[in-house]
Amino acid sequence: MLFTWAEFWNLQNAELWVGVGLILFFAILVAAGVPKLIAGHLDATATKIQGELDEATRLRTEAEALLKQIRAEKAEAEAQAAQMLAAAEADARIMETEAKAKLEESLTRRQALAEQRIAQAEAQATAEVKAAAADLAARAAEQILAARLAGQTKDPLVDAAIAQIGSRLN
């Protein structure tokens, strides 16, 4: 079925009345201010979205500044840790050197003390050997002289010399 303009303008045509109703509907909407309402609503939504975008931008800027600050603090903390580690290593080397020096000093002191004790023991042993030898020599001399004199009469000079031998050797 072909459509012509003459048929459209016929008052019996339903399509004409649908078109007129549609035009009246749009006219009523315009008269009621619906486009302004829609535009206002769209403007409010756009303003809200723009505010949220501005807030997001502000938050992003703050987050970037905070991230920069945290990175700087991290770098500072790492530098401090490196300094503390270097100081601890230096202290450990100093303590090691001091400990070695104290150990060597202690060993030297103990060695000197041991040598001194050995010398004392040697001196004491030498003195004991000399005393024992002198004692033995005195007894032997006494026995020898007693045996020689047993055949002779008593001589007071020999008796005095024998008595003095024991005291002189000690």
Side-chain angles (χ1 to χ4, degrees):
M1 194 159 144
L2 285 179
F3 179 75
T4 63
W5 279 108
E7 290 176 9
F8 180 74
W9 293 109
N10 184 2
L11 293 177
Q12 299 290 324
N13 190 359
E15 293 164 351
L16 172 67
W17 292 110
V18 169
V20 169
L22 186 61
I23 292 173
L24 282 175
F25 177 72
F26 282 133
I28 291 171
L29 286 177
V30 170
V34 172
K36 288 182 184 178
L37 255 158
I38 291 172
H41 183 67
L42 288 175
D43 287 344
T45 304
T47 304
K48 181 180 173 185
I49 290 172
Q50 185 61 44
E52 289 175 358
L53 286 174
D54 292 342
E55 179 69 14
T57 303
R58 183 186 66 78
L59 289 175
R60 180 181 175 144
T61 305
E62 286 179 10
E64 287 173 350
L66 185 61
L67 179 63
K68 185 178 179 182
Q69 179 184 357
I70 289 172
R71 284 182 178 161
E73 288 175 358
K74 179 185 172 194
E76 182 180 333
E78 287 174 350
Q80 263 186 339
Q83 288 175 349
M84 290 172 68
L85 182 62
E89 287 174 349
D91 288 346
R93 279 193 249 54
I94 290 171
M95 292 173 110
E96 179 184 11
T97 305
E98 289 176 355
K100 282 182 181 179
K102 286 181 182 178
L103 179 63
E104 288 177 11
E105 178 183 323
S106 175
L107 290 175
T108 304
R109 212 176 27 244
R110 286 183 182 178
Q111 183 178 1
L113 183 61
E115 289 174 355
Q116 182 181 10
R117 285 182 182 167
I118 290 171
Q120 285 176 352
E122 285 177 353
Q124 184 178 359
T126 303
E128 288 174 2
V129 167
K130 284 182 182 179
D135 212 18
L136 187 61
R139 277 192 223 141
E142 192 176 325
Q143 287 175 357
I144 291 172
L145 289 175
R148 280 187 189 172
L149 291 178
Q152 296 177 359
T153 60
K154 287 190 170 186
D155 186 7
L157 289 176
V158 172
D159 289 340
I162 290 174
Q164 288 178 358
I165 288 177
S167 64
R168 286 189 179 175
L169 290 177
N170 287 331

